[in-house]
Amino acid sequence: MREEGLLVVVSGFSGAGKGTVMKELLERYGNYALSISATTRSPRPGEEEGRHYFYKTEEEFLRMIEEGGLIEYARYVDHYYGTPKAYVEAQREAGKDVILEIEIQGALKVKEQYPDALLLFLTPPSAAELKRRLEGRGTEDSAAIASRLRRAAEEARGVEKYDYVIVNDDLDRCVEETHRIIQMQRRRADRSMELIRRIQAELEEMRI
Ligand code: 5GP
């Protein structure tokens, strides 16, 4: 019997280091699949179609919504972002834990549709560190950094609905902690009822 994979949502302030943590998690452990979102924003230098995002025009994106091809979508700093449904479902059926790296509005929509999704919120240790990381990335101009910092304050609203908050002060520690939390979710009793029922049935048989 193969267990269906978990749906894991990772959010956090822009600049919290989500991308780096996820990349490292996928390199260290084989059981994860990262969902690739569709977006209407343009690729940043070094980003590739189908690897970082599926880059869409606004018209194409609206068509995906209409056709029911997205699990959720949200607008973030003037652009649409959304999670394509087909890939996520196929990977979960294959037993992979699928990670969605999405912002908070989308995360809460996922939780409504999939109440057993695990919601993780990643944060740097301080606001100063957040600003430093955004500037250090060198991919946004100062106006874009300012809007992302403003948005960061809003991003924390709703965080109490998440399952865990993970502080990213040290990459190695943060990756291991994230992995452990996901593995623990797999062992939750409500996900293990099939196994328990099988053992109960086997015990019944033994009594004969
Ligand atoms: P960025 O432009 O920095 O790649 O992403 C901006 C924000 O959009 C990040 O917080 C990222 O997690 C979020 N995001 C990326 N893909 C999706 C998605 O499919 N749905 C939602 N709701 N947010 C997304």
Side-chain angles (χ1 to χ4, degrees):
M1 173 200 73
R2 196 204 281 272
E3 228 180 300
E4 186 182 50
L6 296 176
L7 193 54
V8 182
V9 176
V10 177
S11 308
F13 304 119
S14 179
K18 284 167 293 180
T20 317
V21 172
M22 293 311 113
K23 187 168 163 278
E24 192 60 30
L25 190 68
L26 262 76
E27 272 171 22
R28 287 189 198 181
Y29 301 101
N31 202 49
Y32 297 116
L34 193 61
S35 157
I36 300 165
S37 297
T39 184
T40 56
R41 85 149 161 75
S42 328
R44 293 192 188 118
E47 285 187 351
E48 285 167 37
E49 164 74 17
R51 202 158 85 80
H52 296 90
Y53 281 106
F54 295 106
Y55 300 94
K56 304 285 177 196
T57 62
E58 194 146 322
E59 196 188 339
E60 287 168 336
F61 195 97
L62 295 175
R63 200 173 323 123
M64 290 179 84
I65 300 176
E66 247 169 56
E67 289 169 355
L70 300 175
I71 289 180
E72 60 72 42
Y73 67 94
R75 253 186 111 78
Y76 182 92
V77 192
D78 296 337
H79 292 291
Y80 282 113
Y81 293 81
T83 307
K85 192 184 271 177
Y87 178 82
V88 171
E89 294 193 341
Q91 292 295 318
R92 289 187 73 195
E93 273 163 33
K96 295 261 188 189
D97 295 330
V98 181
I99 301 180
L100 313 184
E101 196 206 306
I102 64 178
E103 53 66 68
I104 205 156
Q105 303 165 47
L108 300 179
K109 281 188 232 158
V110 169
K111 187 80 182 175
E112 275 169 28
Q113 278 181 70
Y114 302 88
D116 61 349
L118 176 66
L119 266 54
L120 309 179
F121 193 88
L122 218 67
T123 177
S126 67
E129 178 64 18
L130 190 68
K131 184 161 181 276
R132 203 184 61 77
R133 286 189 199 169
L134 276 175
E135 286 168 351
R137 197 153 75 177
T139 48
E140 271 102 2
D141 58 23
S142 58
I145 291 177
S147 17
R148 277 167 186 260
L149 284 172
R150 269 195 302 279
R151 175 71 191 231
E154 292 166 26
E155 287 258 295
R157 272 183 230 143
V159 71
E160 68 282 358
K161 300 205 177 83
Y162 278 62
D163 296 298
Y164 295 93
V165 171
I166 304 173
V167 180
N168 182 17
D169 46 2
D170 173 82
L171 178 65
D172 182 58
R173 202 195 55 74
C174 184
V175 170
E176 291 309 315
E177 189 170 306
T178 306
H179 177 64
R180 266 202 318 279
I181 290 173
I182 298 173
Q183 294 313 303
M184 269 159 53
Q185 178 80 354
R186 274 192 169 264
R187 300 279 72 83
R188 283 178 60 98
D190 52 355
R191 283 186 51 84
S192 305
M193 283 321 291
E194 208 168 314
L195 170 68
I196 298 301
R197 281 195 203 101
R198 199 185 71 218
I199 294 176
Q200 282 173 326
E202 287 168 0
L203 287 170
E204 286 282 319
E205 270 173 36
M206 275 179 202
R207 256 187 250 136
I208 300 167

